[in-house]
Amino acid sequence: IRIMYDNISTIGAKRHQISQSVIKTYSNSTHPLDKLACGLAYINEGAAYRKLAIECFEYYFSHPSKMPIAENKHPYFSEWQLHSELANLYEKEYDFDKAIHELEECIRFSSINDGVEYTRIADVIVKKEGVDQAIEYIIQIKKSNIYPKMKNMIDYEYNELLKKKEKGYVYRP
């Protein structure tokens, strides 16, 4: 896990070398943190490895393990970060229900709750059910007691959805 954390900003061929090394070293391990490291490495390897990344993340979440603490006194990866990554993976694989579930987990683990996850859910709903349903979702958020804390973000998303509706937007994968 530390290798992936220490190299999170590495790009290009070196990133792929590191990811390949992690996969080669840890892919046969049954330790949840090793599986998670492989999942993060598979993400770096692109779309062809997405399903393997999902399997690794699912394994990690089904076998909870305490995340080690980095030198900055914080966990290497937060629960929010991990659920957010898994939501991205599910969305890219068109598994929208699971993506929404993971985004709801992000809301649960978010320390700032700035509305980003709600707008991400609306974006997934557009893909899954259409613009009208996403607008309905945002309207429900606007009626909730959390709305005042994230008014600007939610209002922006609402206006963007109205523009999409006006243009007749339909998601086509």
Side-chain angles (χ1 to χ4, degrees):
I1 238 5
R2 182 178 179 171
I3 295 168
M4 296 309 297
Y5 177 81
D6 288 345
N7 291 286
I8 203 160
S9 62
T10 303
I11 58 172
K14 183 161 176 64
R15 181 179 198 159
H16 291 290
Q17 289 172 340
I18 292 165
S19 295
Q20 294 282 325
S21 175
V22 167
I23 292 165
K24 183 179 180 184
T25 305
Y26 299 105
S27 63
N28 292 324
S29 173
T30 58
H31 191 282
L33 291 172
D34 293 345
K35 287 290 189 192
L36 179 60
C38 287
L40 294 164
Y42 285 132
I43 289 171
N44 292 342
E45 294 304 294
Y49 293 88
R50 214 179 280 140
K51 284 184 176 27
L52 290 170
I54 289 170
E55 287 175 21
C56 290
F57 273 80
E58 288 174 344
Y59 183 90
Y60 172 77
F61 284 123
S62 68
H63 298 81
S65 184
K66 185 173 169 66
M67 182 64 63
I69 303 298
E71 291 176 17
N72 66 6
K73 307 286 190 256
H74 296 286
Y76 283 110
F77 296 95
S78 71
E79 290 291 317
W80 179 90
Q81 286 173 298
L82 299 176
H83 285 285
S84 181
E85 287 289 352
L86 187 52
N88 288 337
L89 290 166
Y90 282 137
E91 184 177 356
K92 289 175 182 177
E93 286 295 311
Y94 307 103
D95 196 339
F96 300 130
D97 289 328
K98 287 183 179 178
I100 290 169
H101 171 76
E102 291 304 319
L103 291 169
E104 289 168 345
E105 288 295 296
C106 287
I107 292 167
R108 193 164 73 87
F109 286 108
S110 177
S111 59
I112 56 174
N113 211 0
D114 61 1
V116 171
E117 289 81 13
Y118 296 98
T119 62
R120 286 178 66 193
I121 289 172
D123 291 341
V124 174
I125 291 171
V126 167
K127 294 174 181 178
K128 180 184 176 215
E129 301 173 28
V131 174
D132 287 336
Q133 287 74 15
I135 290 171
E136 282 303 312
Y137 171 77
I138 292 295
I139 288 171
Q140 293 307 310
I141 299 300
K142 288 170 74 88
K143 292 177 182 176
S144 74
N145 60 353
I146 58 171
Y147 172 65
K149 298 177 203 169
M150 55 192 79
K151 182 182 183 323
N152 291 339
M153 177 79 67
I154 299 299
D155 287 349
Y156 179 81
E157 180 72 9
Y158 181 71
N159 290 329
E160 290 299 305
L161 289 168
L162 290 177
K163 287 178 193 174
K164 282 184 177 183
K165 181 177 179 163
E166 185 178 301
K167 292 178 181 178
Y169 177 85
V170 176
Y171 172 72
R172 291 185 190 5

